[in-house]
Amino acid sequence: MYVGMAAAAARAEQLDSIADNLANAETPGYKASRPAFQSFLPPRGIAPGAAGGTMTDKIFAGVVATGTDLTQGPIKTTDNPLDIVPEGQLFLSVTSLTGQPAYTRNGKLNITPEGAIVADGRQVMGTSNRPIMVPPGADVNISQTGVVSADGVPIDRIALFELQGNIVRIGPQLYASGPGGTVTPTEGGVSTGQLEMGNVTPLESTVQMINAQRQYETAMQAIQTYRTLDARVIEVGRVR
């Protein structure tokens, strides 16, 4: 029963991850969550087994971590001069609500009435280490090297970063470096008039969800079977 419960809990977490991926398949810059499973033996005497024994001879399965798949998603042509795709696997740097650096591949940029260049409402950082600002109402152009110009005058250059190691999600399209991870400023360019969409497809996520749902149901059926067997053992042992 404990083995079945562990399996059901693991599959429930996998279903949550797949549902998140499915919901964001068309979200620019979204990176899929990939849960990692591991089989393990419980510590000695963690739970009683049959006839008062221990569970040390049973193998459990569980989700030990949820990683981020950084592979590139499909590229969608928009012909919008403010839509960009960072080169390779580089990330834009944007401001976050906590004030800590955050990184995204959501290149759907907009300009606020105050002249701030933003991605999903967060200001985009330049190589000047400041948010990029342009004169309100100016004609803004972004070159393939990431230089932002207003009315033909260079203002700043979009800062690009390489994320390696432990990457954690802090928002639907926002990422940061976790313990052991590194963030390195990198020279690179951008493609304009394009967007990188989520690196999952609805078909892929749907197939994964059906498979995970079946395995979850199998684990729940195993739990119910053992509960039924326990009830029958009690009935057999009851003094009539």
Side-chain angles (χ1 to χ4, degrees), residues 72-235:
Q72 190 176 64
I75 303 300
K76 178 181 179 181
T77 299
T78 65
D79 294 325
N80 184 338
L82 292 181
D83 289 344
I84 64 172
V85 177
E87 181 180 292
Q89 293 188 349
L90 302 182
F91 284 75
L92 308 175
S93 176
V94 296
T95 57
S96 66
L97 297 178
T98 62
Q100 298 297 318
Y103 304 91
T104 184
R105 282 188 61 86
N106 177 11
K108 188 172 182 60
L109 306 183
N110 292 285
I111 303 175
T112 68
E114 296 76 24
I117 294 183
V118 298
D120 196 28
R122 297 173 174 83
Q123 290 184 279
V124 177
M125 302 297 292
T127 54
S128 62
N129 204 32
R130 296 191 301 268
I132 300 177
M133 301 288 297
V134 298
D139 181 21
V140 177
N141 177 70
I142 302 174
S143 73
Q144 291 185 348
T145 59
V147 174
V148 178
S149 300
D151 294 329
V153 178
I155 300 296
D156 204 340
R157 183 178 180 183
I158 295 174
L160 297 174
F161 296 82
E162 182 178 13
L163 278 59
Q164 293 183 326
N166 185 19
I167 306 302
V168 296
R169 175 179 284 116
I170 59 175
Q173 309 153 348
L174 288 180
Y175 304 90
S177 177
T182 60
V183 177
T184 307
T186 305
E187 293 286 332
V190 299
S191 299
T192 59
Q194 296 179 321
L195 286 175
E196 179 190 358
M197 309 309 290
N199 62 348
V200 293
T201 65
L203 177 60
E204 173 193 9
S205 296
T206 301
V207 172
Q208 291 176 348
M209 179 170 287
I210 292 172
N211 182 52
Q213 181 67 36
R214 286 175 176 171
Q215 294 184 24
Y216 174 80
E217 292 173 354
T218 298
M220 294 301 295
Q221 289 173 1
I223 295 172
Q224 185 58 45
T225 298
Y226 280 109
R227 292 182 62 181
T228 302
L229 290 175
D230 284 348
R232 290 180 178 177
V233 168
I234 293 173
E235 286 296 327

